């Protein structure tokens, strides 16, 4: 058995159907007496309805959460937090809102309770990504991790099929990189493999029938596990590249992950035989990169970075940025191959066969 270090995440997790009703008890356990409710403008009404049981504990609301957590939005939210006198935030929504909750918790020293409504997994990580002047940077620290998470399957039933699909593949990306992370361990590899299996099996069923409660339960369970992986071990080229693309070209987070993941996996495949074997088992396919590319099509994810609005000259910009600031990856970063990877993702081409591992 190889040597490894495993550090469990201390977040309190409540999982099930109808669990949003437990929010008053969760806030009491966390010592929160006055909470600021966070959401996007689109989810503001749903957030108010879902947290109505908190009554006067909600002392204010900020409804301007935005993807990639721009620092200027965080500054406005922090003003609202200070004005409300809240000692906690309830972040209701996906990665954009939960990212804002993390930023506020770190700046204001308040408790953070996350109520996820997508499969993004941000709620299970001590990672904060923020965007300043079009550049997204990330940092990891224990105090960034939300203090409690309430998973309620009912809150995902209205998630549109397209968003469900891309959000789920975004979660799968966390676990795929976790399988071969430099600091991975047998515990996280098992969690990653199970999370990938659950999501890959559930997402097509959800796209076919968004009201399939069993599939929704399986997907949310898988997203929780994949989020644990992202929060427990380091990432590599895939996440670096997606952060670069999202921050530089204002591309939607989950859709970008869905497009890029098969290409990065194909690039790294020759260097990660153990992870590829685990992926074959989890996906039930001998070509994991191809399987993830086909899954993205099956769930209706956008086909290309071009479809998301990335200009063709951005291929060169993204290539240069992906090679800045040395970071670990199982396969050395080769400029020509990285550029080709990005160009194929921009065009919507499938991952090339000679990038994939041979069985």
């Amino acid at each position: 058995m190889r040597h490894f270090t495993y550090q469990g995440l201390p977040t309190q997790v409540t999982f099930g159907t109808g669990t949003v009703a437990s929010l008053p008890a969760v806030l009491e356990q966390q010592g929160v007496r006055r909470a600021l409710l966070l959401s996007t403008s689109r989810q503001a009404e749903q957030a108010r309805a879902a947290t109505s049981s908190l009554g006067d504990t909600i002392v204010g609301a900020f409804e301007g959460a935005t993807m990639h957590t721009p620092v200027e939005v965080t500054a406005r939210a922090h003003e609202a937090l200070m004005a409300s006198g809240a000692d906690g935030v309830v972040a209701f929504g996906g990665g954009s809102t939960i990212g804002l909750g993390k930023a506020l918790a770190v700046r204001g020293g308040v408790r953070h309770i996350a109520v996820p409504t997508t499969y993004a997994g941000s709620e299970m990580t001590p990672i904060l990504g923020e965007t300043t002047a079009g550049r997204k940077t990330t940092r990891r620290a224990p105090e960034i991790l939300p203090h409690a998470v309430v998973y309620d399957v009912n809150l995902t039933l209205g998630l549109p099929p397209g968003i469900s699909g891309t959000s789920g593949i975004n979660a799968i990306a966390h676990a795929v990189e976790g399988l071969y992370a430099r600091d991975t361990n047998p515990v996280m590899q098992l969690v990653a493999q199970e999370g990938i299996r659950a999501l890959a099996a559930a997402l097509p069923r959800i796209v076919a029938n968004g009201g399939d409660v069993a599939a929704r339960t399986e997907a949310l369970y898988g997203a929780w596990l994949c989020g644990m992986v992202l929060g427990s071990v380091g990432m590599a080229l895939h996440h670096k590249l997606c952060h670069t693309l999202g921050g530089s070209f204002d591309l939607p987070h989950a859709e970008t992950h869905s497009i890029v993941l098969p290409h990065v996996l194909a690039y790294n495949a020759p260097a990660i035989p153990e992870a590829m074997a685990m992926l074959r088992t989890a996906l039930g396919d001998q070509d994991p990169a191809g399987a993830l590319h086909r899954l993205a099509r099956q769930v209706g994810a956008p086909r290309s970075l071009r479809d998301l609005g990335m200009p063709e000259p951005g291929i060169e910009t993204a290539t240069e940025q992906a090679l800045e600031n040395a970071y670990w990856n199982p396969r050395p970063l080769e400029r020509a191959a990285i550029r080709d990877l990005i160009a194929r993702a921009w065009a919507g081409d499938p991952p090339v066969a000679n990038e994939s591992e041979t069985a």
Side-chain angles (χ1 to χ4, degrees):
M1 176 66 73
R2 64 178 181 270
H3 294 286
F4 64 90
T5 299
Y6 169 70
Q7 176 65 56
L9 299 175
T11 300
Q12 171 188 340
V13 174
T14 303
F15 186 100
T17 301
T19 49
V20 75
S22 69
L23 273 173
V26 171
L27 264 66
E28 182 178 0
Q29 291 165 358
Q30 293 295 323
V32 176
R33 298 179 181 274
R34 296 167 59 85
L36 180 70
L37 178 62
L38 307 177
S39 71
T40 62
S41 57
R42 184 178 59 83
Q43 288 191 291
E45 184 176 348
Q46 184 188 11
R48 289 192 296 270
T51 59
S52 60
S53 63
L54 291 172
D56 293 340
T57 303
I58 299 294
V59 295
F62 183 84
E63 301 167 356
T66 305
M67 66 178 183
H68 306 309
T69 320
V71 292
E72 59 270 20
V73 173
T74 299
R76 294 198 298 271
H78 188 255
E79 290 176 1
L81 177 67
M82 295 297 98
S84 71
D87 55 4
V89 294
V90 176
F92 181 97
S96 297
T97 305
I98 293 169
L100 177 60
K102 291 177 175 181
L104 292 180
V106 169
R107 285 166 171 77
V110 297
R111 307 295 282 181
H112 179 190
I113 291 82
V115 185
T117 61
T118 72
Y119 306 131
S122 175
E123 66 280 353
M124 291 304 300
T125 77
I127 304 167
L128 174 60
E130 297 182 285
T131 303
T132 305
R135 295 294 297 269
K136 187 169 186 177
T137 59
T138 61
R139 57 190 172 110
R140 178 188 289 258
E143 62 269 21
I144 293 172
L145 184 70
H147 299 92
V149 180
V150 176
Y151 288 105
D152 190 333
V153 175
N154 288 343
L155 297 178
T156 67
L157 294 178
L159 192 65
I163 297 177
S164 298
T166 54
S167 178
I169 296 177
N170 177 26
I172 288 173
H174 307 331
V176 168
E177 287 223 301
L179 285 173
Y180 57 75
R182 178 166 52 179
D183 57 348
T184 194
N185 60 72
V187 176
M188 282 301 107
Q189 287 180 324
L190 287 172
V191 172
Q193 191 171 2
E194 172 66 359
I196 294 166
R197 180 209 62 77
L199 277 161
L203 292 178
R205 294 164 55 196
I206 288 170
V207 170
N209 176 14
D212 185 335
V213 175
R216 289 286 188 184
T217 302
E218 187 81 344
L220 193 60
Y221 159 73
W224 168 30
L225 298 182
C226 292
M228 286 178 62
V229 175
L230 177 63
S232 299
V233 300
M235 296 288 111
L237 174 61
H238 174 78
H239 280 75
K240 166 72 172 182
L241 187 53
C242 287
H243 285 157
T244 293
L245 293 166
S248 297
F249 305 105
D250 198 30
L251 304 184
H253 184 81
E255 289 85 347
T256 302
H257 278 267
S258 298
I259 294 166
V260 171
L261 176 61
H263 297 282
V264 174
L265 179 60
Y267 177 87
N268 280 329
I272 52 169
E274 181 184 18
M276 294 301 285
M278 293 178 181
L279 282 168
R280 292 192 187 97
T281 299
L283 296 169
D285 195 298
Q286 290 303 301
D287 176 17
L292 290 171
H293 184 74
R294 292 187 291 274
L295 178 62
R297 298 293 180 269
Q298 190 174 3
V299 302
R303 290 182 172 270
S304 68
L305 297 175
R306 174 173 51 193
D307 291 344
L308 299 184
M310 177 179 163
E312 187 170 8
I315 295 171
E316 296 295 339
T317 302
T319 300
E320 294 303 324
Q321 292 183 357
L323 297 172
E324 290 176 357
N325 303 323
Y327 55 93
W328 183 87
N329 191 65
R331 175 182 169 181
L333 302 181
E334 303 164 11
R335 190 188 189 287
I338 295 295
R339 188 199 179 283
D340 184 63
L341 180 166
I342 297 170
R344 297 185 70 83
W346 181 85
D349 296 333
V352 296
N354 63 11
E355 286 177 340
S356 300
E357 181 208 25
T358 55

